[in-house]
Amino acid sequence: MSMTGQVAEAPSDMAAATGLLTVGVEEEFLLVDPHTGAAVPAVDLVMEQVPAELRGQVEREFQTSQIEIGSPPGLELSSIRHSLGVLRRALSDAAERAGVRLLAIGTGPVDGPVPPVVDKPRFDRMIERFRLLVPGPGNNGMHVHVGVPDPDTGVQVLNHVRPWLPMLHAVTTNSPFAGGADTSYASWRSVEWERWPSVAPTPFLESHEHYQRLIRQLISSGVMLDEGMLYWYARLSAKYPTVELRIGDVCPSVDDAVLVAALVRALVATAMADVEADRPALRTDHHLLVGAHWRAAHDGLEGEAVDVTTGELRPAWELLDRFVERMRPALEQHGDWAEVTDLLGGLRRHGSGAARQRAVFERTGRLTDVVRDVARQTRG
């Protein structure tokens, strides 16, 4: 829910000079008992073990069983990969020194007591207003920030990207188990997350003033405490010159996270090219988008997805291939095409995070083995 300071320093001057867009990543993780796999309220213990030089990129999250990192923004995927790798390894080590285990997982697969919320005035107000809408181990997402030149352009970008976010939602599914059982969803986190009243596909926006007016109305109606609670799947950052896409579970591995960061940046770059060329955004019906996101959360990549241009179901991988091909010019412009092609090949071979978890459980029948495998992928 929060945002680490490092993402704030998006070097827009670099982007302007090169014509390329900066990208930064936030990731939320779960802290669990290494023996049972149940979530534990250990964030303070882990924070004490984080190396001093990395503490500016690590934060507490909503519940005491969660912890968050943020990569510095950059133009090169290699810098994102390096930052995430360093932070994940350091946080995994810190968790182990604190006697717990770090998991890049959408929500906890093993049943157990609900960890308390972090003691913070804003979180206290949220609990007072909304209660604990998701009374579980903690919901962990991935947020990708891409630099934009100004809020008016940003709003137009939001209109252009909104129809394509269900595809990215399917790519990031990584929470099939909850409460000790298979939920039959690829992303149970998504289902739980939608209990918050401000979680929804981004509406079609007429202008930046329209965007701001909606925020004021949602706050005055009591749906949100503040702009930070605007949990649309894509939004303008409240503090920084970025568009923030926040539709998926946290990715199990650095490879998965780098792939999603590259696809998000290419989607925003494609949208900006459409805006500059005065090509209109696809005005997909809100309810079709709600249905497409539900389907993505249910099936992930291993089933079917909604073709938002027709409303029909198609194999998810078929639509993903079309989606990536549509963004190929932006991927090539940023020098990401070869790496994305390679990472997509790995995703096709190994399956989504949800599919990988289910494969482990099918082999062993033990959720503790699922937890162990997710921890291995998290560390990298």
Side-chain angles (χ1 to χ4, degrees):
M1 294 184 182
S2 62
M3 185 174 177
T4 55
Q6 290 296 325
V7 179
E9 302 163 9
S12 55
D13 52 337
M14 283 198 297
T18 61
L20 305 180
L21 303 182
T22 58
V23 61
V25 173
E26 296 170 337
E27 296 186 303
E28 299 162 351
F29 303 99
L30 189 68
L31 302 171
V32 301
D33 184 290
H35 305 294
T36 67
V40 289
V43 67
D44 289 338
L45 294 174
V46 175
M47 289 291 289
E48 291 173 2
Q49 298 297 327
V50 174
E53 67 272 16
L54 296 178
R55 287 179 185 169
Q57 295 170 257
V58 181
E59 284 193 356
R60 292 166 180 82
E61 241 296 322
F62 187 61
Q63 284 173 256
T64 51
S65 52
Q66 297 175 279
I67 196 164
E68 179 183 16
I69 63 172
S71 75
L75 295 174
E76 302 289 339
L77 287 187
S78 58
S79 67
I80 300 299
R81 176 182 293 281
H82 174 75
S83 296
L84 294 181
V86 168
L87 286 164
R88 280 178 174 233
R89 286 190 296 274
L91 214 54
S92 294
D93 289 342
E96 289 183 11
R97 288 193 293 271
V100 299
R101 182 171 279 165
L102 185 78
L103 297 187
I105 196 168
T107 193
V110 177
D111 202 11
V114 176
V117 172
V118 168
D119 185 12
K120 187 177 179 180
R122 180 172 180 266
F123 293 164
D124 292 341
R125 293 196 303 274
M126 289 172 68
I127 293 297
E128 182 180 2
R129 171 79 60 84
F130 302 101
R131 309 310 299 167
L132 187 57
L133 286 178
V134 186
N139 292 99
N140 304 297
M142 173 188 184
H143 309 153
V144 182
H145 291 259
V146 181
V148 291
D150 56 76
D152 291 313
T153 301
V155 164
Q156 294 184 73
V157 166
L158 294 180
N159 286 340
H160 280 264
V161 304
R162 63 190 287 273
W164 313 110
L165 298 188
M167 196 71 261
L168 290 170
H169 196 160
V171 170
T172 59
T173 49
N174 187 35
S175 52
F177 296 103
D182 193 320
T183 65
S184 297
Y185 281 78
S187 174
W188 187 246
R189 180 206 64 88
S190 302
V191 177
E192 293 185 322
W193 183 236
E194 287 175 2
R195 295 176 188 173
W196 289 96
S198 55
V199 173
T202 309
F204 197 92
L205 300 159
E206 301 303 329
S207 62
H208 184 230
E209 193 282 326
H210 180 208
Y211 179 90
Q212 294 175 309
R213 184 170 71 250
L214 282 174
I215 290 173
R216 292 194 299 269
Q217 291 170 338
L218 290 171
I219 293 172
S220 64
S221 68
V223 170
M224 308 187 311
L225 291 180
D226 50 41
E227 188 171 349
M229 282 191 69
L230 186 70
Y231 299 143
W232 292 345
Y233 298 143
R235 68 182 188 184
L236 302 182
S237 170
K239 297 180 180 179
Y240 312 118
T242 63
V243 167
E244 180 186 6
L245 274 64
R246 41 188 302 120
I247 39 79
D249 296 347
V250 63
C251 291
S253 72
V254 169
D255 273 355
D256 297 311
V258 169
L259 172 61
V260 172
L263 293 177
V264 168
R265 175 165 65 177
L267 179 59
V268 171
T270 301
M272 288 182 64
D274 287 341
V275 169
E276 291 169 4
D278 205 27
R279 289 187 285 268
L282 182 65
R283 294 195 66 149
T284 308
D285 182 84
H286 172 79
H287 293 286
L288 180 60
L289 278 184
V290 169
H293 279 284
W294 175 85
R295 194 80 201 198
H298 185 272
D299 285 25
L301 281 178
E302 283 67 42
E304 294 185 301
V306 177
D307 183 341
V308 294
T309 65
T310 65
E312 298 176 352
L313 286 176
R314 303 296 303 168
W317 266 104
E318 176 186 319
L319 293 183
L320 178 57
D321 287 339
R322 282 164 44 185
F323 173 73
V324 173
E325 188 61 34
R326 178 177 180 271
M327 296 186 298
R328 181 168 181 166
L331 289 166
E332 290 179 337
Q333 178 192 9
H334 285 83
D336 297 343
W337 176 252
E339 184 164 4
V340 164
T341 301
D342 182 60
L343 292 172
L344 281 170
L347 186 64
R348 195 185 298 268
R349 289 191 301 274
H350 303 303
S352 66
R356 288 174 234 168
Q357 290 186 46
R358 284 178 168 141
V360 172
F361 188 75
E362 186 175 342
R363 288 197 305 271
T364 74
R366 293 188 297 269
L367 283 175
T368 50
D369 290 335
V370 173
V371 168
R372 189 176 297 109
D373 189 68
V374 172
R376 175 189 60 80
Q377 293 182 72
T378 303
R379 175 185 288 277

